[in-house]
């Protein structure tokens, strides 16, 4: 993966230990993990928490949402890393899956997440999520939320 790149240029989620993450939540009903595979290779991973989140966006403040704990796209699917991704749209598919899980839990598509800096533009622009700014309580990451209306527009 590194192929001459310094560690500073590696994907921000490169250090995530997915096996440990999955082991830590095994048997806990509030968590769901998703893996997207194509052509026999893992293309993306996501972990959701259906019991953690409360909306912060004013028009739906305090309502439940599905919190996206982690989402990761394989490095060979990232335009910023390889120029031409092997499979485009992996992140979009994962966000759509999170919206559907929210709907399955009767939360009307509401989701929230803290974004790594390299993904902020994706959530703001491609997904149309509301940027609620830097969150000093969560590693200083920027927090994004998708309202029911935004979920309908994204899924439409």
């Amino acid at each position: 993966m590194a192929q001459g790149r310094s560690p500073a240029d590696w994907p921000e989620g490169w250090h995530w230990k997915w096996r440990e993450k999955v082991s830590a939540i095994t048997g806990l009903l509030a968590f769901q993990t998703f893996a997207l595979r194509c052509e026999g290779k893992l293309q993306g991973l996501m972990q959701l928490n259906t019991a953690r989140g409360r909306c912060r966006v004013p028009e739906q403040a305090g309502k439940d949402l599905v919190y996206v704990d982690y989402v990761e796209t394989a490095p060979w699917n990232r335009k910023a890393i390889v120029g031409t991704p092997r499979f485009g749209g992996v992140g979009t598919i994962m966000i759509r899956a999170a919206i559907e899980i929210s709907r399955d839990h009767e939360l009307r598509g509401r989701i929230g997440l803290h974004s790594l800096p390299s993904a902020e533009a994706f959530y703001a622009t491609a997904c149309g999520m509301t940027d609620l700014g830097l969150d000093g309580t969560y590693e200083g990451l920027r927090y994004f939320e998708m309202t029911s209306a935004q979920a309908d527009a994204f899924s439409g």
Side-chain angles (χ1 to χ4, degrees):
M1 161 41 221
Q3 297 179 348
R5 294 178 183 255
S6 77
D9 294 330
W10 293 0
E12 291 165 311
W14 185 252
H15 67 283
W16 291 346
K17 295 175 181 163
W18 281 95
R19 288 179 206 262
E20 290 177 20
K21 291 181 182 307
V22 171
S23 292
I25 62 166
T26 299
L28 299 176
L29 297 177
F31 293 91
Q32 292 180 277
T33 52
F34 296 84
L36 181 59
R37 295 181 59 87
C38 189
E39 294 183 357
K41 282 189 163 183
L42 192 59
Q43 307 298 330
L45 291 165
M46 179 172 63
Q47 179 177 300
L48 303 178
N49 184 337
T50 59
R52 177 174 178 202
R54 294 269 190 268
C55 295
R56 300 180 192 177
V57 173
E59 67 263 22
Q60 55 188 33
K63 293 182 179 179
D64 291 332
L65 57 72
V66 167
Y67 183 78
V68 180
D69 275 326
Y70 304 97
V71 61
E72 182 79 11
T73 299
W76 52 86
N77 292 326
R78 294 182 185 190
K79 193 181 296 185
I81 295 173
V82 297
T84 303
R86 174 86 172 110
F87 295 102
V90 173
T92 301
I93 290 168
M94 292 297 198
I95 294 300
R96 282 198 173 120
I99 291 167
E100 290 309 311
I101 294 301
S102 173
R103 289 177 175 151
D104 288 349
H105 283 82
E106 299 182 5
L107 303 178
R108 303 187 60 212
R110 295 186 301 265
I111 63 172
L113 57 86
H114 286 86
S115 175
L116 293 173
S118 63
E120 290 172 356
F122 171 73
Y123 297 121
T125 306
C127 298
M129 296 176 80
T130 301
D131 180 350
L132 293 167
L134 295 175
D135 187 344
T137 63
Y138 196 89
E139 300 178 28
L141 297 177
R142 192 167 291 279
Y143 180 70
F144 288 86
E145 233 174 66
M146 182 172 278
T147 65
S148 299
Q150 289 167 329
D152 291 344
F154 183 76
S155 299

